[in-house]
Amino acid sequence: MNQTNQLARNDASGMENVLLVDDEVEICLLLSGILQREGFNTSYALSLKEARERLSSGSYEVVFLDLNLPDGVGYQLIPAIRDLKEDTKIVVVSAYDVERKKAEEKGADYFVAKPFTRTKILDVLKQLAFDQ
C-alpha cells in the first residue's frame, strides 16, 4: 500500500466521499481515476443542476469545483455546499489562475490551477486532511 493510499484510509478518515463538478467529462474521469486509486469514493456532475442533485442525495467530504459550467459559475454552488455540510472541503479547479484570490474570498478551501498533476491533487488532499 503506498503512502498516499494510507493517508486516504487513515489520516483523511471522513474524507472518503468526493464530488467532482466539471463540465469536461475527461477531467472528471481523470480526477476520479486518481482518487479511486487512492481509496476515495467519487461521483461527478457536469453542471450546477446535476451537482445540486448529487449534493442533496449524498454526503461529500470534498468537492472539486470547476468555475465555468454550462448553467452558471461554480462559485454559485459554494453556499449550497456549506448549507448542506459546513465542514465540506471545497477545492476550486480552474484554468484561470487569476481566480485564485476570488476563490478564497468566495469560501473555497483550496485552489488548483489547470492543468494539474496527480501529485498536485494528492498534495491538496494531504493538506486538507491536516487542516481538519
Side-chain angles (χ1 to χ4, degrees):
M1 180 181 311
N2 68 34
Q3 184 178 12
T4 306
N5 201 327
Q6 191 67 34
L7 169 80
R9 293 174 195 269
N10 293 331
D11 297 339
S13 61
M15 281 182 48
E16 291 85 13
N17 296 316
V18 181
L19 178 62
L20 314 169
V21 183
D22 198 305
D23 62 327
E24 295 180 58
V25 175
E26 297 82 7
I27 296 289
C28 291
L29 294 175
L30 175 65
L31 274 170
S32 192
I34 291 169
L35 296 169
Q36 287 175 359
R37 278 190 295 277
E38 300 302 324
F40 293 90
N41 301 314
T42 62
S43 298
Y44 66 87
L46 303 175
S47 67
L48 289 174
K49 180 182 182 220
E50 191 177 345
R52 285 188 179 99
E53 291 168 1
R54 293 224 183 261
L55 286 164
S56 68
S57 65
S59 179
Y60 299 94
E61 288 72 41
V62 180
V63 175
F64 282 84
L65 180 61
D66 186 29
L67 295 180
N68 296 317
L69 298 164
D71 54 349
V73 180
Y75 291 133
Q76 295 172 286
L77 196 59
I78 292 175
I81 295 168
R82 296 286 187 224
D83 286 346
L84 289 169
K85 190 172 179 203
E86 189 176 317
D87 61 342
T88 296
K89 301 295 184 181
I90 300 170
V91 180
V92 168
V93 181
S94 176
Y96 304 103
D97 197 50
V98 296
E99 292 289 333
R100 187 177 299 269
K101 183 175 166 95
K102 188 173 182 181
E104 184 179 295
E105 292 169 356
K106 294 285 189 176
D109 296 293
Y110 212 92
F111 180 92
V112 174
K114 290 180 185 176
F116 52 81
T117 63
R118 176 182 182 275
T119 301
K120 179 62 179 176
I121 297 302
L122 298 180
D123 286 347
V124 166
L125 291 172
K126 285 179 192 174
Q127 184 65 42
L128 293 175
F130 292 123
D131 287 347
Q132 286 190 0

